[in-house]
Amino acid sequence: MTPTLAGICIILGLCLMLATGMPIAFALGLAAVVGLFLDMGPGVIYVLAETMFAGIANLGYVAIPMFVLMGAIVAGTPAGGDLYKTLDRWLHKVPGGLVLSNIGACAIFSGMTGSSPATCAAIGKMGIPEMLGRGYPSSVATGSIAAGGTLGILIPPSVTMIVYGIATQTSIGRLFLAGVLPGILLTCMFMAWALYDARRKGFRFNTGSLRYSWRDKLATLPRVLPLLLIILGMLFVLYGGVATPSEAAGAGALLTLVVVVLVYRLFRMKTYVDVFGSAMRESVMIMMIMASAELFAFALSSLFITQTLASAIAALEINRWLLMGLINVFLLVAGMFLPPVAIIVMAAPLLLPIITQAGFDPYWFAVVLTINMEIGLITPPVGLNLFVLNAIAPDVPTQDILRGALPYVLVMMAAIVLLCMFPGIVTWLPELVMGAAVS
């Protein structure tokens, strides 16, 4: 069997298993085992465990469960609600202040969790009922939360950026900095579209219906500011070279736990059983996907599928921007079926030499790749944020959720075009703080 035919068979088998509803980690692992068994015979059993454990046996990955725990602490306690209330009270006089508060809360919450589904669930539980109660169209309410939730994998600290950095041997601190300005840009673009979308659907902004005194506005700040200071402190020690990402993540999770316990007087054990249980489930899911993706990548390499594909792409005598366009199409399609972590582990090491040979900056490409993964979070058939919204807002018809979320796909595509036209949006801040990257 030729590498091309073997690759087609494995991909078709993977798609078939995913279509049956099989968990992604199991589908990746089974497809890899079948491919390796056909190539190596029963002897494949001796490399399975070693390959999977090697895929996650990296000290840098310790940061992932720590950031997940940090997000679970905020999402599973009143801290997330206070963050939302604070933004709503300070922005209520701005036309469309509530929808802006939702997207802004998603952006800030993303910086605390690094997880898009967690952001979508935490802010959506509070924001969607509030928006519906104030007369916003259901598609605007759900669409803004679905899109805002995707910021969790772009705005630092980002789990996907950590995975990309380890998979491609690039600086995680520089990757975090590279995501800051694009994250702000995308947040502003989301806000602009949400305001336009609400107005074109007949909603009339009324800023006089609510009144918050200065006492109301200041009431939640003492509870929110310590959490924001933790995020700023983590970024400072990362970029100042004081701590590694794993150390910063561990310290951040511990400080978040201490702040939440002291500020909210949460001394019931059940609260922390739920928080740690949620964090453990998500962390194990991510690590299982990474281990299975490593085995899948090993299978593709052993069958010379990746080498054949890389050679074929390298042999294409086409303009480098056309090449980037083809890569973006591949990432968009892959993002519709696979989670960001799986795609990065499998595709980033393969694509990195191709894009660097074509003259593209690897940190710029990391942001473009991440935005493509964001698009996959709100596009069928496996749009994770859509499923989260469907669960937390069962009264909103699925077609309304889709109608609200899909226009943001075009907004993110426009952001990718802007980054292609002005790559300095990505590279300026890392170069300012850390100097030029060593190639």
Side-chain angles (χ1 to χ4, degrees), residues 148-335:
T150 66
L151 296 168
I153 63 173
L154 178 61
I155 295 177
S158 163
V159 170
T160 55
M161 289 293 192
I162 295 172
V163 176
Y164 179 94
I166 294 174
T168 60
Q169 298 299 304
T170 48
S171 166
I172 294 174
R174 188 177 290 272
L175 286 168
F176 281 180
L177 283 173
V180 172
L181 292 183
I184 295 173
L185 170 67
L186 209 51
T187 302
C188 293
M189 293 176 71
F190 285 171
M191 289 179 170
W193 171 256
L195 293 177
Y196 171 76
D197 192 32
R199 184 170 290 279
R200 78 185 180 97
K201 290 178 178 175
F203 182 77
R204 291 294 173 261
F205 302 117
N206 182 9
T207 61
S209 58
L210 287 175
R211 290 284 187 272
Y212 290 114
S213 66
W214 278 102
R215 182 176 181 179
D216 294 330
K217 292 180 180 181
L218 297 173
T220 56
L221 282 182
R223 297 194 292 270
V224 171
L225 288 179
L227 297 173
L228 298 181
L229 290 175
I230 289 173
I231 297 296
L232 293 176
M234 287 171 55
L235 297 179
F236 173 77
V237 298
L238 275 175
Y239 305 138
V242 178
T244 65
S246 299
E247 293 166 344
L254 177 61
L255 289 174
T256 302
L257 180 62
V258 171
V259 167
V260 166
V261 170
L262 295 180
V263 169
Y264 296 98
R265 307 290 182 183
L266 297 176
F267 300 111
R268 292 181 57 199
M269 184 57 64
K270 184 180 183 304
T271 301
Y272 301 104
V273 170
D274 294 341
V275 164
F276 280 86
S278 171
M280 184 178 296
R281 284 192 297 272
E282 186 171 347
S283 299
V284 170
M285 178 190 70
I286 292 173
M287 301 304 280
M288 277 294 296
I289 289 174
M290 291 170 61
S292 298
E294 181 71 20
L295 184 63
F296 189 78
F298 175 74
L300 295 182
S301 178
S302 298
L303 295 170
F304 294 97
I305 296 170
T306 53
Q307 295 91 326
T308 302
L309 178 61
S311 300
I313 294 175
L316 292 175
E317 296 183 0
I318 58 176
N319 181 276
R320 71 181 193 132
W321 289 108
L322 180 57
L323 173 64
M324 180 55 64
L326 293 174
I327 291 174
N328 273 277
V329 171
F330 162 73
L331 293 173
L332 282 171
V333 174

